[in-house]
Amino acid sequence: FVTAIDHVGIAVPDLDAAIEFHRAHFGLEVAHEEVNEEQGVREAMLRAPGTAGTETQIQLLAPLRDDSAIGKFLAKSGPGLQQLAYRVSDVDAASAALREQGLRLLYEAAKRGTSNSRVNFIHPKDAGGVLVELVEPAKDNAAH
Ligand code: V0V
């Protein structure tokens, strides 16, 4: 049911500084930026130039609050890789299938992710120490 590697998420203390770092050193450009109050993040999606629509993106995640998922991650582990996101065509079906296989999903029902996607997460302890996100892109936005 995984159709692509959607993005890899990096926890950062300062979003603007991290965007500049990835631009200056790797030439990545900002494809999208938003604030997700529910998740407690200010985030940016980056891509390599000329890859729009097909690319795996880098998601920079900065905390809005210390008690958010990213705030806690930074306090415990410092900046670094925080999540791996698989694209799926139906997040409800994917979550149900994985639950059936005994994996813990973090949310009972999918929540809103980047660009009106629908997302859920597999507990990192059930996925080899990796926080795996499942992303169902919004229907009007094939890439994300
Ligand atoms: C925690 N652990 C991790 C981890 N976070 N392991 C790998 N990767 C991570 N990111 C480990 C932690 O070290 C503990 O291991 C264990 O899991 C349980 O951690 P905890 O301290 O009990 O729990 P918390 O409070 O740190 O919470 C961890 C979870 C939390 C994963 C439950 O971060 C969460 O709810 N994440 C889902 C939402 C999220 O990440 N939102 C921000 C991105 P030991 O020490 O016991 O061995 S928002 C987003 O991605 C959007 C909007 C989008 O993509 O569209």
Side-chain angles (χ1 to χ4, degrees):
F1 57 78
V2 172
T3 60
I5 297 171
D6 191 85
H7 64 267
V8 175
I10 302 175
V12 304
D14 179 332
L15 188 68
D16 296 321
I19 289 171
E20 177 53 20
F21 176 89
H22 285 80
R23 187 200 64 73
H25 297 292
F26 308 129
L28 301 189
E29 53 191 34
V30 176
H32 178 75
E33 227 183 293
E34 75 177 67
V35 169
N36 186 323
E37 284 288 347
E38 184 183 27
Q39 290 291 337
V41 292
R42 203 182 141 217
E43 54 135 315
M45 299 299 268
L46 307 189
R47 66 178 170 223
T51 61
T54 57
E55 76 287 13
T56 298
Q57 298 191 325
I58 298 296
Q59 181 181 46
L60 302 177
L61 296 155
L64 293 177
R65 307 178 285 273
D66 288 345
D67 66 351
S68 61
I70 298 301
K72 287 196 226 164
F73 183 90
L74 286 171
K76 189 170 177 187
S77 310
L81 291 179
Q82 190 258 350
Q83 60 172 261
L84 167 65
Y86 290 128
R87 196 177 303 159
V88 298
S89 45
D90 181 340
V91 70
D92 300 318
S95 299
L98 291 167
R99 253 190 224 108
E100 190 76 11
Q101 294 160 22
L103 274 55
R104 280 169 293 169
L105 276 291
L106 292 185
Y107 305 140
E108 196 69 44
K111 293 193 191 245
R112 188 190 160 281
T114 305
S115 299
N116 291 319
S117 57
R118 298 176 67 243
V119 303
N120 207 334
F121 293 84
I122 305 169
H123 195 287
K125 293 295 177 192
D126 290 355
V130 178
L131 175 60
V132 174
E133 180 181 350
L134 306 172
V135 188
E136 177 188 324
K139 294 287 178 270
D140 60 352
N141 184 347
H144 286 280

